[in-house]
Amino acid sequence: MPDRDVRPVRVRLLEAAARLLADEGPRALTTRRLASEVGASTMVVYHHFGGMPELVRAVIVEGFARLAEHMAAVPRTADPVADLGRLALAYRANARANPHLYAVMFGGVPLDGQAPPAEEPVAGRAASGAGTFGVETFAAETFGVLVEAAARAMDAGRLRRDDPEHVSAQLWSAVHGFVMLELAGQFTGGAETVLTSMLVNLGVGLGDAPDAAARSLRAALDTPAP
């Protein structure tokens, strides 16, 4: 007999909703279907989320919350370029661990009529029953970790001076593109080589010395992803 899922019902609802959206599309996400997926009543769905738009918003918030946890677990070291590499690896690890949430949070799933409501004012903003902030807050916090590491790499003379936010956007775009292709099964082999080469080339393109970039990435790879 399989082990009983003892996680909070709210977490199981969020993961089931993400799976339905990613695998079957928004038409599959009904209150009755979702309740059936977790073995609960339809009233449980309304109790936790109020309605489908709020549920979809909570799915996106949960996805960013898990990404934020992965990236926050990356240690800050004396090598900021290695830290950037570790952040990229943590980003990938989160996506591989939570592929359905990842697909929903970054718009990989057309939501049609299930679009989440507009962002609430920052004051008092919270996700339903989660005690966490909204989508934009988590996205900004996650991006902020990357910006801080990029700024430290510039201060250390490893990357040429530029707007840290612009540099971070370039790094995020490259890693996100790799992850999306990997999750879609586009790499039949050699994904690790593609990723490591891409990260070294990015570092060199942003001003780092080739040997230094390669050393920092090796150091990043020697640290298990959170």
Side-chain angles (χ1 to χ4, degrees):
M1 177 181 292
D3 293 336
R4 179 173 174 268
D5 192 339
V6 296
R7 294 173 303 163
V9 67
R10 186 179 188 281
V11 172
R12 290 188 282 130
L13 286 169
L14 290 172
E15 293 191 350
R19 185 173 64 254
L20 288 172
L21 284 169
D23 290 347
E24 300 181 38
R27 292 183 180 277
L29 187 60
T30 65
T31 306
R32 185 180 300 276
R33 175 72 184 279
L34 184 59
S36 175
E37 288 287 318
V38 301
S41 69
T42 57
M43 288 306 298
V44 170
V45 180
Y46 290 113
H47 168 73
H48 283 282
F49 305 106
M52 283 300 166
E54 292 80 8
L55 169 63
V56 171
R57 180 177 187 79
V59 168
I60 298 172
V61 169
E62 180 71 13
F64 273 105
R66 294 189 187 188
L67 174 58
E69 288 177 0
H70 271 77
M71 296 184 75
V74 173
R76 175 174 171 161
T77 73
D79 185 342
V81 175
D83 292 350
L84 284 169
R86 293 184 184 98
L87 289 170
L89 295 173
Y91 184 93
R92 180 197 186 202
N94 173 74
R96 288 161 62 94
N98 303 288
H100 298 113
L101 286 168
Y102 186 84
V104 177
M105 65 193 272
F106 282 116
V109 176
L111 297 178
D112 295 345
Q114 304 288 18
E119 179 63 78
E120 303 167 8
V122 173
R125 174 172 49 192
S128 302
T132 55
F133 295 109
V135 176
E136 288 78 1
T137 299
F138 274 121
E141 287 180 355
T142 304
F143 186 63
V145 173
L146 193 58
V147 172
E148 188 270 343
R152 286 196 295 115
M154 293 175 196
D155 292 340
R158 295 288 302 277
L159 303 184
R160 63 175 169 269
R161 183 63 59 183
D162 200 340
D163 184 336
E165 290 194 4
H166 290 171
V167 169
S168 298
Q170 294 174 53
L171 292 169
W172 195 327
S173 298
V175 175
H176 176 70
F178 168 86
V179 168
M180 290 293 287
L181 288 170
E182 183 180 32
L183 292 181
Q186 296 303 311
F187 296 121
T188 56
E192 298 288 343
T193 301
V194 172
L195 177 61
T196 54
S197 298
M198 181 184 75
L199 292 175
V200 170
N201 290 336
L202 281 170
V204 173
L206 291 167
D208 203 7
D211 289 346
R215 282 196 302 272
S216 291
L217 185 57
R218 283 197 297 270
L221 292 170
D222 288 340
T223 306

